[in-house]
Amino acid sequence: MSLNPYVARSRQPVVAMIGGGQLARMTAQAAIALGQTLRVLAVRDDESAAQVTPDVVLGSHTDLDALRRVAEGATAFTFDHEHVPTELLEKLVADGVNVLPPPEALVHAQDKLVMRRRLSDLGAPVPRFSEVSSVDDAVAFAETVGGPVVVKTVRGGYDGRGVVMASDPDETRTVVERYLADGVPVMIEERVAMRRELAALVARSPFGQGAAWPVVETVQRDGICVTVIAPAPDLSDELGSAASELALRIASSLGVVGVLAVELFETTDGALLVNELAMRPHNSGHWTMDGARTSQFEQHLRAVLDYPLGDTSALAPTVMGNVLGAPEIPSMSMDERVHHLFARMPDAKVHLYGKEERPGRKIGHVNIVGGASETVASLRERAERAAHWLSHAQWTDGWDEHA
């Protein structure tokens, strides 16, 4: 098998990332600063990451041959998404590929039922849950809970997909019948009475070093994160430390290498419950590109290459606004929208993903880093206004960009 030219030309390590999306694109940017070239496995040559790195392997994450081609000569093999089948990853490990996080860790981000069971065994706080083998199982659980429940697909759901709220046993029966009739495995859990959603982002190296960024608040709309506030406002030092320590303990117990995002519910009585795990750079960490001493993308590279991890402290309070495709794509070009945004908010840090605009699609994000006296409320208002402008070409306060 011939050596990849990007390995032959450089003595620098090569990190291979599965997936050509925006996470790989931003990881490629971090790799450039380290003198490296990120190799990506993309389905098409116009995908987000494939636009910015010269080392692209075209193929599917379910094709073992494509996975082997992208792994050839790579120092580390990691992920933009968690959807590579475990059995294929185990074959790569048998080939000697340095898969990070390893398959036995990654499965906890792929399979929600496996994750819930393992976290329960570790004593980590999770909502009450149950496997669903039949409609009667789900109805019995809903009756036991005596309140709203959440039906989730065991694999494959994200950004609100594969998650259905059911208010009573009858609605639970209808939802579960539909999934099981389609042959889709599901699980069920109680719907948590929560104050808000938090995310604890950490990183762990093969050496076992761990690092944690400040815990953030995430704001969801229709199951999609729209705003991240870093650090989470009005979060006690005690609860913030508990969230970070929990995330670091999970990373160590599961053998995670790289970035781990632990999505959390802060309940109305002040407790923490684990919602989801992601073993890769994560939307809740995009603020780190401008608001932390080390971004999550650089840190992920440091971790999988077993470099000493970077300083995770915040430079200042920061708010990220996701730029989502509008229901009706504006006639104004994105270039012109960026022009007007910079004219009004010269401190806005814009990160666009090179993706075609489609309704609801994540096409970029904006970070606003706080100044000496700006309040978190003002930061959030500006970040959300900037993101809305880039999505809709409309100012939420009616500001006239031509005035």
Side-chain angles (χ1 to χ4, degrees), residues 228-252:
V228 173
I229 307 167
D234 303 318
L235 182 69
S236 69
D237 292 342
E238 180 182 14
L239 202 60
S241 295
S244 294
E245 289 168 7
L246 173 62
L248 288 168
R249 180 163 69 89
I250 290 171
S252 178

Side-chain angles (χ1 to χ4, degrees), residues 293-304:
R293 295 190 183 279
T294 306
S295 80
Q296 65 166 340
F297 301 101
E298 178 186 337
Q299 194 82 299
H300 190 72
L301 290 171
R302 288 194 189 207
V304 300

Side-chain angles (χ1 to χ4, degrees), residues 55-329:
D55 194 357
V56 180
V57 174
L58 295 179
S60 168
H61 63 274
T62 60
D63 180 350
L64 180 59
D65 179 65
L67 295 172
R68 282 175 166 154
R69 282 187 286 123
V70 79
E72 179 192 355
T75 312
F77 178 106
T78 190
F79 306 94
D80 164 280
H81 62 74
E82 294 104 339
H83 305 313
V84 183
T86 304
E87 60 272 19
L88 298 186
L89 295 177
E90 290 171 344
K91 290 179 180 179
L92 294 178
V93 172
D95 290 344
V97 176
N98 186 27
V99 177
L100 299 172
E104 60 270 22
L106 188 66
V107 68
H108 298 91
Q110 296 174 319
D111 188 306
K112 295 179 178 65
L113 190 57
V114 169
M115 179 265 289
R116 281 281 184 263
R117 286 172 170 161
R118 182 65 188 282
L119 292 184
S120 295
D121 290 344
L122 293 174
V126 297
R128 286 181 290 173
F129 71 96
S130 177
E131 181 180 7
V132 173
S133 300
S134 68
V135 174
D136 289 343
D137 288 343
V139 172
F141 179 86
E143 290 173 343
T144 299
V145 168
V149 296
V150 184
V151 179
K152 295 182 174 181
T153 56
V154 171
R155 285 180 174 258
Y158 67 99
D159 282 347
R161 300 178 188 124
V163 177
V164 180
M165 309 293 181
S167 59
D168 55 44
D170 287 340
E171 189 175 358
T172 301
R173 177 181 295 277
T174 300
V175 172
V176 173
E177 280 179 343
R178 185 173 69 248
Y179 274 124
L180 295 185
D182 291 338
V184 179
V186 294
M187 59 173 288
I188 190 169
E189 61 188 40
E190 65 178 324
R191 186 171 181 180
V192 175
M194 65 175 178
R195 178 187 172 205
R196 59 180 171 176
E197 295 189 55
L198 304 173
L201 194 73
V202 300
R204 181 176 179 272
S205 73
F207 180 72
Q209 183 187 11
W213 286 270
V215 176
V216 302
E217 178 178 349
T218 64
V219 181
Q220 317 289 322
R221 185 173 65 234
D222 298 327
I224 299 176
C225 177
V226 293
T227 305
V228 173
I229 307 167
D234 303 318
L235 182 69
S236 69
D237 292 342
E238 180 182 14
L239 202 60
S241 295
S244 294
E245 289 168 7
L246 173 62
L248 288 168
R249 180 163 69 89
I250 290 171
S252 178
S253 298
L254 300 185
V256 174
V257 174
V259 167
L260 168 70
V262 180
E263 297 181 53
L264 299 159
F265 298 131
E266 180 185 356
T267 65
T268 52
D269 59 359
L272 295 173
L273 294 174
V274 177
N275 179 26
E276 302 281 359
L277 302 180
M279 296 181 190
R280 50 171 170 77
H282 189 256
N283 202 168
S284 67
H286 289 352
W287 71 274
T288 64
M289 297 177 76
D290 303 295
R293 295 190 183 279
T294 306
S295 80
Q296 65 166 340
F297 301 101
E298 178 186 337
Q299 194 82 299
H300 190 72
L301 290 171
R302 288 194 189 207
V304 300
L305 293 171
D306 208 9
Y307 291 169
L309 298 181
D311 183 348
T312 50
S313 59
L315 297 171
T318 302
V319 178
M320 182 217 74
N322 262 335
V323 181
L324 305 176
E328 295 185 12
I329 306 306

Side-chain angles (χ1 to χ4, degrees), residues 37-67:
T37 298
L38 185 76
R39 181 183 305 154
V40 300
L41 178 68
V43 176
R44 303 183 315 276
D45 60 8
D46 63 346
E47 285 191 80
S48 186
Q51 298 172 20
V52 298
T53 178
D55 194 357
V56 180
V57 174
L58 295 179
S60 168
H61 63 274
T62 60
D63 180 350
L64 180 59
D65 179 65
L67 295 172

